[in-house]
């Protein structure tokens, strides 16, 4: 019985010391537009930049956003295309979906710096909101981590 207790204690100690905390610190990551008011067909510079706190993790970072038109204070997903991407920088596996965008920032790399710029144009005047998701998958972690950002802006004739 004594050996069983020691065995259980040893297993518990190995489990506690063997668990690694895979949480990334998103506090220095920012998503922004170069301004808040635009004209139709004016370049809108969308930036995602910053750095993760010191870590030794390897994994992938994916960015995606959904574009909503604001009508009477409510977010509406328009059935017509709201924007065009003119330049997506160094992003990989770019995938445009109806009024959304998805791409890989980095894949199977160390989590370090993010410095991405996307240039897009809005096709119709109105008030808009972009909901941005930065999704990170750390190798060895069971769950993905997501940070969500909301950006509002206006487009005029």
């Amino acid at each position: 019985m004594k050996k069983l207790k020691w065995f259980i204690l040893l297993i518990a100690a190995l489990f506690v010391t063997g668990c690694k905390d895979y949480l990334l610190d998103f506090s220095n990551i920012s998503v922004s537009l170069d301004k808040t008011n635009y004209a139709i067909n004016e370049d809108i510079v969308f930036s995602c930049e910053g750095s993760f706190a010191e870590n030794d993790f390897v994994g992938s970072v994916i960015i995606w956003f959904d574009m909503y038109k604001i009508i009477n204070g409510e977010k509406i997903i328009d059935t017509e295309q709201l924007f065009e991407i003119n330049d997506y920088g160094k992003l990989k596996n770019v995938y445009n979906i109806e009024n959304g965008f998805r791409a890989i920032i980095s894949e199977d790399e160390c989590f370090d710096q993010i410095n991405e710029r996307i240039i897009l144009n809005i096709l119709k005047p109105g008030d808009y909101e972009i909901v941005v998701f930065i999704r990170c998958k750390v190798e060895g972690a069971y769950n993905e981590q997501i940070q969500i950002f909301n950006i509002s802006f206006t487009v005029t004739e």
Side-chain angles (χ1 to χ4, degrees), residues 47-96:
S47 301
C48 177
E49 49 197 9
S51 61
F52 293 99
E54 192 173 316
N55 65 71
D56 60 351
F57 303 140
V58 171
S60 299
V61 180
I62 295 173
I63 185 169
W64 85 84
F65 64 77
D66 293 320
M67 177 94 53
Y68 296 93
K69 194 164 188 177
I70 306 299
I71 300 175
N72 297 326
E74 291 187 41
K75 292 182 196 177
I76 307 295
I77 295 182
D78 205 323
T79 56
E80 296 180 45
Q81 188 68 26
L82 297 175
F83 67 92
E84 293 176 343
I85 303 279
N86 294 341
D87 183 7
Y88 53 83
K90 305 175 292 198
L91 297 173
K92 303 177 231 171
N93 294 358
V94 175
Y95 182 66
N96 288 321

Side-chain angles (χ1 to χ4, degrees), residues 8-20:
I8 291 172
L9 273 171
L10 177 64
I11 296 298
L14 288 174
F15 177 74
V16 170
T17 57
C19 290
K20 187 172 182 177

Side-chain angles (χ1 to χ4, degrees), residues 77-124:
I77 295 182
D78 205 323
T79 56
E80 296 180 45
Q81 188 68 26
L82 297 175
F83 67 92
E84 293 176 343
I85 303 279
N86 294 341
D87 183 7
Y88 53 83
K90 305 175 292 198
L91 297 173
K92 303 177 231 171
N93 294 358
V94 175
Y95 182 66
N96 288 321
I97 50 179
E98 186 175 297
N99 294 318
F101 175 83
R102 170 187 247 156
I104 296 173
I105 292 176
S106 63
E107 192 170 30
D108 300 327
E109 296 177 13
C110 291
F111 287 95
D112 191 21
Q113 289 285 112
I114 293 178
N115 188 10
E116 301 298 330
R117 290 200 177 5
I118 301 168
I119 298 174
L120 53 101
N121 291 103
I122 300 298
L123 305 174
K124 296 180 178 184

Side-chain angles (χ1 to χ4, degrees), residues 7 9 14 17-18 23 31-33 41 44 47 66-67 73 80 103 106 120 152 155 157:
F7 180 72
L9 273 171
L14 288 174
T17 57
L23 291 178
V31 173
S32 62
L33 298 178
N41 294 324
I44 297 174
S47 301
D66 293 320
M67 177 94 53
E80 296 180 45
S106 63
L120 53 101
S152 297
V155 176
E157 288 285 338

